[in-house]
Structures are given as structure tokens and as C-alpha cells.
Amino acid sequence: MQTPSSLAPGTTIAIVGAGRLGRVLARALRAVRLDVLGPFGRAEQIPDADIVVLCVPDAAIAEAALVARPHAGVLGHVSGATPLDDVDFSLHPLQTFTGTESAEVFHGIGAAVAGRTPAAREVAEQLAVALGARPFPVDDAYRASYHAAASFASNFLLAVLDSAERLASAAGVPGDDARALLAPLVRRTVENWEASGAPAVLTGPIARGDEATVARQRAAAAEVELSDLFDALAAVTRTIAARPAPATEEPSA
């Protein structure tokens, strides 16, 4: 992909939505010396701007877009799942936000972009590059799959980690200690997955075929009402274990 040209000097960008992402996005765009207005609450008057970016819940996009359209040269949203029916472009940072992050939080992350026209998509790409992110295209037809991937990698991962914390607590390890002790294991697992993919790095009793240990683990999960989750994850893990790991290249003589 060609690197899009920079935003024209003097371009004004209005942020609508003062939640977690809206606050961080406004802060980050100001940090690279762009002319940012807001973030504005949805009930506030929106000034005219070259670009208006909606940082509102998915269910509020259509209504917010209707209000913002007369004030926007180009209108976009930051939703990963919502199509472009009501806006010109989308820019979805592939990251989780609490609202307290510094401007550097966008540096090096992916940002899914789309546009109803090539010019609109270029605006999304320009914003991503200005933030220090890496833009990549996701068409409307694949938006649900893309956003589900993000949910598995973040939201559902937290559900699994919370379950691990509950099981550790049942074993007598307090929550704070459990998170501190399990976190290095989580980090190394993610690093290994990033480098080689799941089939190549899967370990544990399912990968070893140690069914007696799996049964004991399931019984422990049932004691804290996690048997359904255990069964679902074990089934997927068996599928991964059955997949051949990618072949590694032999070193040349």
C-alpha cells in the first residue's frame, strides 16, 4: 500500500463523543499538531470542520451522523463492526482503550480503514498515519469477521483470564497474586503465538494426550461453575492439537 499524503495544513478535525476513545483520539491528534475541535458530547453543538469523526456507540452512529452531516466536509466513525451506510469512512484502531492512555498508544498498532470512495478512504489512511498507526483495508463484507477476531483477541481473552483468576483463587491464591503470577505465562504464550502460530506452540495436557489430567482439570472447573467454558475451550484446543504444525526450514549446509 502506498503511504497516503499528509493531511493538508489547516485541516480541522472535530471529534464527537467524549468517551474513552474520543478523549484519547483528540489528545493524540493534538500531539501531532493537528487542529482538533472537541471532543464534544453527543448533545453539544458541533462546529463546522473539514473532518468529523464519530466516537460514539455503534447503536448511536446513525443518529449522530444525521446531526453531524451538515457540519462535516468528510464524516467518519471509529466502529469496527458498523458498515459505512451513514458515513464516508471508518477508522478502527485495533487496540483496547481505558481513556487514560498517552498519545503514543497509537504508535505501531493496526488501524482498519474503509471508505465509500477512494478519497474518503485516503482520509482514513491519512489519519491513521498521522497517529503513527498502520492502516490496513477491511471491506464492509468482512467487517463482522474482522471485529469478531478483535473480540476474541481482547474481550473473550479477558473472559478466559478472569476464569483463570477464579480457579487460582479456588486454589488459595488471592486475586492480585494470581494475576501477577499468571501474567508472565500469558505474555510468553502470546509472544510464542505471535512468532509461530498456535499449532506450533501448543503445550499442556491436551497436546500431550494426558486425559487423566484433563479430567481432573474439568472437575476443578466444575466446582466454580466453569465446566461449560472448559468443555468449549477443550474442544477447540483438541482441534488445534490435531492440526499439523507448520514445517520449519532446515538450515542450509
Side-chain angles (χ1 to χ4, degrees):
M1 179 189 299
Q2 292 184 339
T3 301
S5 57
S6 299
L7 293 166
T11 298
T12 53
I13 306 167
I15 308 296
V16 178
R20 294 179 179 184
L21 180 51
R23 297 196 307 272
V24 178
L25 182 61
R27 189 156 58 241
L29 291 171
R30 284 196 178 98
V32 292
R33 302 185 182 279
L34 292 172
D35 189 357
V36 179
L37 310 173
F40 300 97
R42 279 180 277 164
E44 294 184 76
Q45 179 65 38
I46 305 169
D48 293 344
D50 298 308
I51 303 169
V52 176
V53 183
L54 304 178
C55 300
V56 301
D58 291 1
I61 287 174
E63 182 180 353
L66 187 65
V67 173
R69 177 61 73 182
H71 305 283
V74 186
L75 180 63
H77 66 52
V78 294
S79 171
T82 306
L84 305 181
D85 297 341
D86 302 295
V87 298
D88 304 310
F89 72 86
S90 68
L91 167 68
H92 179 253
L94 191 52
Q95 185 56 279
T96 182
F97 297 92
T98 65
T100 61
E101 292 85 0
S102 68
E104 290 75 22
V105 70
F106 294 96
H107 291 184
I109 71 169
V113 298
R116 298 178 74 174
T117 67
R121 192 175 94 169
E122 185 176 21
V123 170
E125 292 173 347
Q126 290 169 338
L127 288 170
V129 170
L131 291 165
R134 173 189 172 190
F136 62 94
V138 175
D139 293 335
D140 271 7
Y142 307 106
R143 191 173 289 274
S145 295
Y146 157 72
H147 201 246
S151 290
F152 269 85
S154 180
N155 312 142
F156 295 167
L157 177 59
L158 282 176
V160 170
L161 294 177
D162 183 73
S163 299
E165 184 179 341
R166 288 174 59 190
L167 282 162
S169 178
V173 183
D176 289 351
D177 288 344
R179 291 193 298 275
L181 292 167
L182 290 168
L185 172 61
V186 175
R187 294 190 189 100
R188 178 58 62 89
T189 301
V190 171
E191 290 169 359
N192 291 346
W193 165 77
E194 181 184 15
S196 304
V201 300
L202 181 66
T203 63
I206 290 177
R208 295 192 299 267
D210 187 350
E211 294 301 327
T213 298
V214 175
R216 287 195 295 273
Q217 289 181 338
R218 189 189 185 284
E223 290 179 2
V224 290
E225 300 181 346
L226 288 173
S227 55
D228 288 346
L229 179 60
F230 185 93
D231 290 343
L233 293 173
V236 175
T237 303
R238 293 182 195 282
T239 300
I240 295 171
R243 271 193 241 155
T248 56
E249 291 186 6
E250 293 293 332
S252 58

